[in-house]
Every structure is written in C-alpha cells, then in structure tokens.
Amino acid sequence: MNDLVRQHTALSESDLEWLHLLVSEWQLLSDLSFADLVLWVPTLDGTRYVSVAQMRPNTGPTSYQDDMVGHLVPRGRRPLLDAALDEGRIVREGDPEWREEVPVRVESIPVRREGRVLGVIARNTNLLTVRTPSRLELTYLQSASDLAQMIAAGSFPFPGQQVDMDASPRAGDGLIRLDADGIVQYASPNALSAYHRLGLASDLVGQHLGQLTSDLAPARGPVDEAIVKLASGYAPREAEVEGNDGVIQLRAIPLKPKGPRIGSLVLLRDVTELRRRERELITKDATIREIHHRVKNNLQTVAALLRLQARRMDSDQGREALNEAVRRVGSIAIVHETLSQNLDERVQFDEIADRVLAMVAEISPGKVNCRRTGRFGILDAEVATPLSMVLTEVLQNALEHAFAPGEQGSVEVAALRGGTREDARLLITVRDDGRGLPEGFDAQRTGNLGLQIVRTLVEGELGGSFDMVPAAERGTKVVLDIPVGPDK
C-alpha cells in the first residue's frame, strides 16, 4: 500500500498512516457486513482511482475471485465511487452488479480524516446466498452500518488504537452489543459460552456488562473500575478478565454513528487454553534454564575438585593432565551458563568464543596475543557444546606447542558463516605464527589426546571436517568446516 499511495496519489504521510490504521481495523467491518472491501484512492491528477488494499470476509462468500490491489479505474466508470468522493456520503443507490453470474450489491463509503475525504471503500456483498437474516446477522449488519457511518464521519478508526488483527478478538469469536447505558442488547452464542466459562449461570441480555464482568472476576480488593468501564464500552480499550478457571479477552468499540455514543460493541474471545499453554511454556522454559544453571554449577564444582587434585600431584605430567581436564570442563560450563540465560536452546557463540580465548590464554607460556575476527553467530546447543570443546583443544594445543617460554606471538581465530539457508556452514580458521608443525606430521593420524578429541568431535559428533597444515608464511593453520543451522 505504501508504494501505491506514494506512486499514484497526493496523500501525505499522515494520511497514509490513517489508511494503515483503517486497514488494521477493517476486517471487523468486512465480517460484520458479510462483504468484500476494496479501498480506492484518487490519483494525483484526479482522473482515476487506484485500489490500494482489499479485504475478504470470514463470514460469507467473496465477491472477488481475483486480487484487486493495484488496479486503476478512470473516473466515471464507477459512479458510486464518484458520488461518495464528491459528496462525502455513503452511497447505496443502484441495482446489483453481475459478476460471473453472481449478483453483487455495491456500496461506497467515503474515508474521511480531519474533514477531508481521502478515498472510498467499495463494499461488495455477494447476494447469491441471501436468505432471511437471523438475529445474529441483523446485529452484525446494524453494527456494520454504524461503523460505516463513523468511517464516513472520520470518527473511526480511533487514533492511537492500531489493532493487531491476529491477536485481537474477531466478530466470529464472540460479539456483544450494548446500549448507551452498558446494558446488553444482544450476545452471540460464542460470547454467551465464554461468559459461562467465567461462571455466569444466566443469560447476558438485559444485564449491565461492566458490573457483571467485575462480579465474575476474582475479588482482589476494590472493584476494578477499569474493567467496569471497558466492559461497559465507554472507550476503545482491550483487557483480559480471568475468573472461575476461565480467561476471556475483551475489546470495546464505542458506536458513534451520528456523534453521541449510542452504544458499544464488545468483541471477546475465550483464551483459556491459550493462556494455559503459555503458562506451561513459561514453566518449561524456567525449568530448562534452571537445569542449565545447575549443570553449570556442577561442572564448576568438578573443575574445582580437579584443580585441588592437581595441586596435590607430585608429577608434573599428571598435574598438567588435570589442568587440561579443568579447561575442558570449563569450556562446557561456559555453554551451559549461556544457555541458562536464554529462552531457547540457542546461544550467541561469539561471546562463548571470547570467553574460551580468555580462559585458554591464561596458560600461555609466552606473551601471546589472542584475538577473534569474524562472527560465529547463533548456534544450537547441540553444536555449541562440542564446538566449545574443540575450540578449547585447538587453542590449548597452539599455545602449548607453538611458542617457547617467554616468546612473543599471536593466535587468531577467524569465523565465517556461509552456504545456503538449507545448508548453512561455519568455517573456522585458527592460525598461529609459532614454530610450525614437526616434519612428517599427519593431523589425521598423529597427535596428542587433545587432537584425538578434536577429530572425534568434529567428524563424529558435528559431521564436519578437520585439518591442520603449515601456515602460508610461518606457524600452523587449523581449518574446521562444520554444518550449522540457520543464523536466526
């Protein structure tokens, strides 16, 4: 709609915002009218109309099989549009049109803002299934007529009340019509069922909805005046009411077709099961985070015990082996600590990589500068945990074997996300400028325990590839190519 309005019309940005506000609301008008809606706006030169938005009803058959958005129509071809635009009134004159052997009643509703008519809504009703209307349908049609008059007068939609069409109640979810005093004139079967879920044992018609809703809500100190006012329909508001193990979502729409408020529409939806599932998910998420937190604490306890044992070792080789185990346990603990702070089983691995770099750098025998370039991005937990161990082993191996005590040097970890969304990959290069590999070294066959762990995790658990080769000028380069999920 933005592109069409800016390309073909003279409307300002504030006018366009008003049209967006209207479009966020007009599913309600379409459903109450049992009709298709098409928004036509005059072009910049005033010789044509351009259709910028379209809505089909959920409550009846459509009148348009094709998408009308973007169509251009010259003035004069559709007299009802001309009359509504020029005279600023709702136009219903004329005989039904026939479209593909289907009779269609056409009406035009001017869209007014601050005294100016911005465009016209063409309301098209499929008459093929017309029958004697029920009380529900008559209430729908009367409410649609009131809303149409408010649009023509510029009093609907309500400024600052943009509605999320997916989250707000719809007409079919439940509808109550109130008079000016907040007394229920009509309640749809779905609306009555929702109030029965709250604990109502009688009918709704004839009762003051605001007071009744307040009475059904659990008593928590003084009467909640906001609920009373909302359910009475005095102002356009939304809220949820919980009672008797049921939860309903309410939305009030004051009806002012001729200026003063004549009544209100209250749309409502039973969201009991939805809220129950949300609470279960919150509880589940909290439990998962608590598990990760406890695992992290347990791993840190294990690391502390290993560290104590290392201090009691007389053998330098045994002490170093235990210290390596401490770092391996610590790398896993870092992942669980990060997971304990998230709502899902995905982590931002750049932070983990930086912490692993800092942890391993503490063992450097020389003055080695460690840095990271590129980004790992967001990874699933089943990738992040083994990858943190792999990164720990590779860095630990570089710092221990590439540099002599007191020697200066650098280690760089470079990460690059690539591949397609379906086959995303992570290329990791760990490069040092140390003494290089010994002659005849084969990374796939030889190596210490750390390299055996790397090969096992990369090829077996991560399904990737691992190689260790001499760097271009000096030192060693380790290349890891790992398949990962999409970076969301």
Side-chain angles (χ1 to χ4, degrees):
M1 185 167 73
N2 288 350
D3 293 339
L4 289 170
V5 169
R6 289 166 182 158
Q7 179 182 354
H8 294 286
T9 77
L11 297 182
S12 65
E13 289 298 317
S14 58
D15 292 334
L16 177 58
E17 186 60 32
W18 182 263
L19 295 185
H20 274 292
L21 194 61
L22 173 66
V23 168
S24 74
E25 292 273 22
W26 72 343
Q27 179 71 66
L28 175 61
L29 177 62
S30 178
D31 290 345
L32 293 176
S33 304
F34 308 98
D36 291 76
L37 305 178
V38 180
L39 177 57
W40 297 92
V41 180
T43 58
L44 183 62
D45 57 10
T47 62
R48 296 181 295 176
Y49 298 96
V50 58
S51 58
V52 298
Q54 179 179 0
M55 179 58 67
R56 292 183 173 90
N58 295 317
T59 52
T62 183
S63 302
Y64 286 110
Q65 298 300 324
D66 300 326
D67 189 356
M68 295 296 296
V69 175
H71 283 217
L72 290 166
V73 174
R75 274 185 67 97
R77 181 175 296 180
R78 300 195 178 185
L80 296 186
L81 292 182
D82 297 339
L85 182 68
D86 297 338
E87 301 173 21
R89 64 180 180 89
I90 298 176
V91 182
R92 297 189 176 94
E93 299 88 8
D95 297 326
E97 297 180 2
W98 286 84
R99 300 176 189 161
E100 299 179 357
E101 300 183 355
V102 175
V104 177
R105 182 175 66 242
V106 181
E107 304 165 86
S108 295
I109 305 167
V111 178
R112 192 183 303 273
R113 174 179 179 264
E114 296 180 351
R116 297 180 299 111
V117 177
L118 307 182
V120 179
I121 295 176
R123 181 164 56 177
N124 303 268
T125 307
N126 187 325
L127 300 178
L128 195 61
T129 57
V130 169
R131 53 185 172 79
T132 302
S134 65
R135 178 74 186 281
L136 171 67
E137 292 165 333
L138 288 173
T139 303
Y140 272 31
L141 292 171
Q142 179 58 54
S143 302
S145 176
D146 293 336
L147 288 178
Q149 293 182 59
M150 292 170 65
I151 292 173
S155 57
F156 187 83
F158 303 109
Q161 293 287 325
Q162 187 159 355
V163 174
D164 183 351
M165 290 189 292
D166 294 329
S168 292
R170 299 188 178 188
D173 296 327
L175 179 142
I176 298 174
R177 175 139 183 160
L178 310 177
D179 64 14
D181 297 323
I183 305 301
V184 177
Q185 294 180 312
Y186 174 80
S188 70
N190 284 347
L192 186 59
S193 296
Y195 266 84
H196 284 166
R197 187 84 178 257
L198 283 184
L200 178 67
S202 59
D203 196 2
L204 275 170
V205 176
Q207 302 208 49
H208 188 281
L209 188 66
Q211 190 59 53
L212 173 66
T213 305
S214 178
D215 292 341
L216 291 174
R220 297 190 181 113
V223 174
D224 190 347
E225 294 183 2
I227 292 180
V228 175
K229 290 182 179 179
L230 183 145
S232 301
Y234 294 134
R237 295 178 183 172
E238 289 192 44
E240 287 188 3
V241 177
E242 183 173 357
N244 193 38
D245 297 327
V247 184
I248 60 173
Q249 184 181 10
L250 296 174
R251 183 190 174 204
I253 303 174
L255 297 177
K256 305 175 182 179
K258 296 181 180 179
R261 187 175 67 87
I262 64 168
S264 306
L265 282 182
V266 177
L267 306 179
L268 64 150
R269 176 169 55 186
D270 186 345
V271 293
T272 304
E273 293 304 314
L274 179 63
R275 296 297 176 258
R276 181 183 64 81
R277 292 194 187 102
E278 287 178 351
R279 284 193 288 267
E280 288 179 351
L281 287 174
I282 292 173
T283 302
K284 178 181 176 182
D285 289 339
T287 302
I288 292 173
R289 290 200 299 272
E290 178 62 21
I291 289 172
H292 284 302
H293 182 71
R294 293 189 181 187
V295 169
K296 183 264 295 184
N297 288 343
N298 290 338
L299 289 172
Q300 289 180 337
T301 301
V302 171
L305 293 174
L306 291 173
R307 196 176 293 111
L308 287 173
Q309 186 65 41
R311 292 172 184 169
R312 294 175 176 268
M313 293 288 293
D314 296 329
S315 168
D316 292 340
Q317 186 177 4
R319 187 183 306 111
E320 183 56 34
L322 287 176
N323 286 332
E324 287 182 3
V326 168
R327 287 187 286 273
R328 288 166 186 150
V329 172
S331 66
I332 302 174
I334 291 173
V335 176
H336 282 281
E337 181 179 2
T338 305
L339 288 169
S340 70
Q341 300 168 1
N342 293 346
L343 294 177
D344 55 16
E345 292 291 289
R346 295 170 64 82
V347 295
Q348 176 57 259
F349 198 80
D350 294 313
E351 177 186 348
I352 293 175
D354 291 340
R355 294 181 62 180
V356 168
L357 268 170
M359 177 181 69
V360 177
E362 295 177 358
I363 69 166
S364 174
K367 299 178 181 179
V368 180
N369 177 37
C370 298
R371 68 180 185 275
R372 172 181 62 86
T373 61
R375 59 183 298 272
F376 290 84
I378 298 175
L379 299 177
D380 292 329
E382 56 264 28
V383 175
T385 301
L387 182 57
S388 68
M389 288 193 65
V390 168
L391 193 59
T392 300
E393 297 297 337
V394 171
L395 288 170
Q396 185 170 290
N397 188 74
L399 292 172
E400 284 185 355
H401 302 290
F403 305 100
E407 184 180 3
Q408 292 186 345
S410 64
V411 176
E412 178 186 14
V413 178
L416 177 66
R417 294 291 285 254
T420 64
R421 183 173 180 82
E422 293 75 19
D423 185 25
R425 305 192 72 82
L426 177 61
L427 182 65
I428 305 169
T429 305
V430 180
R431 183 185 292 104
D432 66 69
D433 57 1
R435 68 187 68 173
L437 296 173
E439 185 176 352
F441 181 84
D442 184 355
Q444 302 304 323
R445 289 188 175 89
T446 60
N448 54 21
L449 174 62
L451 291 182
Q452 293 177 22
I453 292 175
V454 171
R455 284 197 297 269
T456 301
L457 291 176
V458 172
E459 297 172 0
E461 190 163 343
L462 294 174
S465 62
F466 157 73
D467 198 9
M468 179 182 287
V469 296
E473 297 180 358
R474 182 187 177 191
T476 305
K477 179 173 70 172
V478 176
V479 180
L480 306 171
D481 187 359
I482 300 170
V484 294
D487 187 4
K488 296 180 180 178

